[in-house]
Amino acid sequence: MPDQSAKTHIGRDITILVPAYQCAGQLEAHSATLQRYRELGCPVIWVVSPSPDRSEEVAQKICRETGDRFLLSPPGLYESWNFGIARVETEFLAISTIGDTYLNDNLVKMAKLLRNLHADLVFTPPSLEGLSGKQILAFRSWPVFGFAKQLDPL
């Protein structure tokens, strides 16, 4: 029988960072997409800049309800992200921008892959759902799709 003490709870090793600005109406729905990762023990940190639509108040309410961590960050995209990243205490970090979701246990799979391969970075192209053919073609120009094609073993 395998040693149960050697089992790791890799979810606890992944912080989900949620940067938000001017998107109050989307925060509740986005929070719901993170529930599976909360169940796996992933810490969730919301890093929110003061917003005209009061996104910071909505995010703070979500954090009180879910036990997530709330940070009020300085304004500015990079300043906000870096403010949050500087406070991550886990081995792995995933940035969950509003409207983007991680399906199934893909973050856990990527963290295991990083650990097993002793890699510094892992990426996966996004799944483009609910978009028109024209929109999908525009997104297919993103470099991540080219990298994935080059690395595809088939």
Side-chain angles (χ1 to χ4, degrees):
M1 179 181 239
D3 179 8
Q4 296 298 318
S5 65
K7 272 191 167 181
T8 62
H9 298 282
I10 200 159
R12 294 181 188 146
D13 297 333
I14 307 166
T15 294
I16 312 293
L17 186 69
V18 185
Y21 173 77
Q22 192 67 8
C23 54
Q26 297 173 282
L27 298 183
E28 291 284 346
H30 190 77
S31 176
T33 70
L34 302 174
Q35 186 54 36
R36 172 67 181 137
Y37 290 101
R38 289 183 188 104
E39 292 167 0
L40 291 172
C42 297
V44 178
I45 300 174
W46 292 74
V47 57
V48 187
S49 298
S51 303
D53 72 349
R54 301 179 183 232
S55 292
E56 67 277 15
E57 293 174 14
V58 176
Q60 209 165 23
K61 176 182 174 284
I62 290 168
C63 290
R64 280 193 303 271
E65 293 169 355
T66 61
D68 295 347
R69 188 170 169 196
F70 174 83
L71 300 173
L72 186 62
S73 72
L77 177 66
Y78 296 112
E79 292 84 350
S80 180
W81 285 36
N82 289 336
F83 184 80
I85 290 168
R87 284 146 181 86
V88 171
E89 297 176 357
T90 57
E91 183 176 0
F92 304 113
L93 164 67
I95 297 176
S96 180
T97 54
I98 304 303
D100 295 338
T101 58
Y102 297 109
L103 302 175
N104 306 316
D105 290 348
N106 286 341
L107 288 180
V108 173
K109 291 174 187 174
M110 287 191 284
K112 286 179 181 177
L113 183 65
L114 281 165
R115 189 171 279 156
N116 292 341
L117 296 177
H118 305 284
D120 294 321
L121 173 73
V122 66
F123 71 90
T124 181
S127 173
L128 304 172
E129 299 176 20
L131 302 176
S132 70
K134 187 175 181 178
Q135 290 171 314
I136 289 174
L137 284 176
F139 285 115
R140 289 281 180 196
S141 67
W142 288 358
V144 69
F145 291 104
F147 298 146
K149 189 172 183 178
Q150 291 173 8
L151 296 171
D152 189 350
L154 297 177

